[in-house]
Amino acid sequence: MYEYNNASNDFFHDNDKKANQVTCVFIFGASVVFPLLVLLSYLRILHIPLKSLITPCILTIIFNVALIILRCFRAPCFFIKYYCLVAIETVIGIMSTNAHIAIYMTYAIAPIVSCVYFDKVLTRRISFFGYFMMIVGLVFRANGVSELGITSYSPLRWFVTYAIGFTIEYLLLSFICYAIATRARNLLENVFQRKQKIDYMQQQMIYSFANIIESRDDVTGQHVKRTSAYVRLIAEELKYNGFYADELDDTSLEYICMAAPIHDIGKLKIPDSILCKPGGLTDSEYNHIKSHTIRGEEIIQNTMANLEDEEFLHYARNVALYHHERWDGTGYPMGLSGRNIPLCARIMAVADVFDALVSKRSYKNSFTLDNAFEQLEKGSGTQFEPLIVELFVNQKEVVKQIYRDLN
């Protein structure tokens, strides 16, 4: 059934990819900024010693080349994010060793940028690394300002004086960044946990509702579970093999599986005298049975429109309305054919008919599993989409295991 067990992990992984784009901009942008600074310094527009810019400029180019290589070889997201943030702090640290370049709180850039990852561990580690680079930079600056006569302090006194002040400022900023990352992460995880609880309750309600529907015509609740499992198997096989990639992403796959248990919800509108009739049906009674597809679509539209999002309703309506359409166009209620039948309904048709064949009903005996597979193959190209039948039959052993587990 439909669950969000991995939703938070997927979200944070996806966010890491997007956040990496932000940090990569810093690295790539530096490859433009530093050459520009070198040029302006060479033209004496900026009063920054040229030699103090050469090292960070070269280092930035090296970092850029390495980053391009890492991205070409699809390095893991976690490696890219650490690489970029460490590179930023390293370049800043190298620049700050020169007594002529007064940059201090730029060390907070990496911890601030790290907040977009919502990763408190990352923010803490980058903050510690940035502080280390700042202290190293101050050591070099202490000697530089004394040698250049910029201060009358001794190197030690200058270092202690400035280190204390910058430490307080940096730790305060780092703490704020850490608090933001932690708070954001906790809030997002709470949102996903609550959503998962709501989705779980929703799943159980759908299952219970489906069991009530199926029990009316002498079908056990296991039918609901089996058909849902078969639908998931088919959908995953289609996706794994690259079929219908434009229609079958992760979200649509889950919605199809979620809608599967209520495909026969329209049977609630069919009288028991017809639905549970042990013998053959008259033409009028059969037409009444067939109306459960249209009535199912109406029930879903009228009762669930304010409870579910529109995308789920789309799949639920299509599954309920079209699961009795046939590939050759002789099905009901609309007589659709081929790919004009929604994919979710074509999948549902195979799963539903297969389980109906292997299930004992008041009006028929059950088929063996192998005979049911044979019936599906006979209906391939007429009743069912050949591709779906082929993928389903190819998974015979998995289908049999599902049947044994849920029978």
Side-chain angles (χ1 to χ4, degrees):
M1 275 297 292
Y2 184 66
E3 295 181 0
Y4 271 103
N5 289 335
N6 298 318
S8 61
N9 290 336
D10 291 342
F11 170 82
F12 288 120
H13 181 70
D14 212 35
N15 181 70
D16 279 359
K17 291 181 179 180
K18 295 176 181 177
N20 279 344
Q21 296 175 0
V22 175
T23 53
C24 286
V25 167
F26 276 88
I27 304 298
F28 292 138
S31 65
V32 176
V33 171
F34 277 106
L36 181 61
L37 291 176
V38 170
L39 177 62
L40 294 176
S41 179
Y42 178 77
L43 296 175
R44 299 182 182 279
I45 297 175
L46 289 180
H47 300 291
I48 301 175
L50 190 60
K51 64 179 182 180
S52 64
L53 293 172
I54 295 298
T55 300
C57 182
I58 295 173
L59 196 60
T60 300
I61 294 172
I62 293 173
F63 281 140
N64 269 278
V65 172
L67 180 58
I68 292 172
I69 294 173
L70 288 172
R71 288 167 67 91
C72 288
F73 284 92
R74 301 182 182 277
C77 282
F78 78 91
F79 186 84
I80 293 290
K81 67 182 179 182
Y82 274 98
Y83 172 84
C84 289
L85 294 172
V86 168
I88 292 170
E89 287 293 288
T90 301
V91 172
I92 294 172
I94 294 296
M95 285 189 65
S96 70
T97 59
N98 190 283
H100 288 282
I101 304 176
I103 56 171
Y104 302 107
M105 284 304 98
T106 47
Y107 284 107
I109 289 177
I112 290 172
V113 172
S114 72
C115 290
V116 300
Y117 290 96
F118 309 126
D119 187 343
K120 61 183 180 181
V121 176
L122 171 68
T123 300
R124 184 175 66 241
R125 290 174 176 172
I126 292 300
S127 296
F128 281 133
F129 179 73
Y131 182 70
F132 168 77
M133 292 300 295
M134 185 177 74
I135 293 299
V136 171
L138 286 174
V139 170
F140 281 92
R141 285 183 61 81
N143 290 317
V145 294
S146 297
E147 292 172 1
L148 295 173
I150 298 176
T151 179
S152 59
Y153 288 176
S154 67
L156 179 60
R157 184 181 175 187
W158 187 95
F159 172 78
V160 172
T161 301
Y162 282 86
I164 291 175
F166 293 144
T167 296
I168 293 173
E169 291 180 3
Y170 183 81
L171 292 181
L172 180 60
L173 285 170
S174 296
F175 176 77
I176 292 172
C177 293
Y178 180 80
I180 292 172
T182 302
R183 181 61 175 163
R185 183 84 178 201
N186 290 341
L187 286 173
L188 287 169
E189 288 182 345
N190 286 337
V191 168
F192 280 110
Q193 287 175 3
R194 291 188 179 187
K195 183 169 179 56
Q196 185 172 353
K197 289 180 180 178
I198 292 172
D199 288 335
Y200 178 76
M201 292 171 63
Q202 180 177 280
Q203 292 171 30
Q204 299 310 307
M205 290 178 65
I206 290 175
Y207 263 133
S208 299
F209 200 25
N211 287 339
I212 292 172
I213 298 166
E214 300 296 349
S215 65
R216 292 187 65 234
D217 61 346
D218 197 30
V219 178
T220 67
Q222 297 304 96
H223 169 71
V224 173
K225 294 180 180 179
R226 286 195 301 268
T227 52
S228 297
Y230 299 148
V231 165
R232 178 173 290 279
L233 174 64
I234 294 169
E236 289 180 346
E237 281 298 301
L238 286 169
K239 187 173 185 301
Y240 177 78
N241 288 282
F243 297 112
Y244 301 117
D246 57 331
E247 299 181 57
L248 203 58
D249 57 20
D250 290 338
T251 301
S252 60
L253 188 151
E254 293 298 339
Y255 279 140
I256 291 171
C257 296
M258 186 178 177
I262 53 175
H263 65 281
D264 274 338
I265 193 172
K267 288 181 178 179
L268 289 175
K269 295 278 189 159
I270 307 301
D272 285 345
S273 59
I274 297 176
L275 191 65
C276 302
K277 185 177 179 179
L281 299 173
T282 65
D283 290 343
S284 175
E285 290 171 335
Y286 183 56
N287 287 332
H288 212 74
I289 287 286
K290 290 196 296 183
S291 72
H292 81 277
T293 54
I294 295 174
R295 296 191 181 275
E297 192 267 347
E298 292 173 351
I299 292 173
I300 291 171
Q301 179 61 41
N302 294 333
T303 63
M304 297 186 180
N306 296 324
L307 299 177
E308 304 291 347
D309 61 68
E310 186 59 34
E311 191 172 2
F312 168 71
L313 283 175
H314 168 76
Y315 288 105
R317 289 195 300 264
N318 283 346
V319 166
L321 183 60
Y322 299 118
H323 69 280
H324 281 292
E325 299 287 359
R326 293 171 58 103
W327 185 254
D328 60 7
T330 60
Y332 64 88
M334 303 299 180
L336 301 181
S337 63
R339 294 190 179 183
N340 290 322
I341 305 168
L343 177 61
C344 56
R346 304 199 306 264
I347 294 172
M348 188 73 241
V350 172
D352 190 36
V353 170
F354 178 81
D355 200 70
L357 289 171
V358 298
S359 300
K360 180 177 174 57
R361 302 286 173 85
S362 59
Y363 53 85
K364 76 170 190 69
N365 291 320
S366 61
F367 282 62
T368 65
L369 291 171
D370 288 330
N371 286 339
F373 281 118
E374 290 177 6
Q375 291 300 314
L376 286 184
E377 290 179 311
K378 288 180 181 178
S380 177
T382 53
Q383 185 172 359
F384 312 112
E385 178 179 356
L387 173 62
I388 293 176
V389 172
E390 180 184 352
L391 292 177
F392 188 72
V393 173
N394 286 344
Q395 295 296 317
K396 273 186 181 181
E397 296 307 314
V398 177
V399 174
K400 289 179 179 180
Q401 187 61 51
I402 291 173
Y403 179 81
R404 287 192 291 267
D405 292 341
L406 297 178
N407 194 21

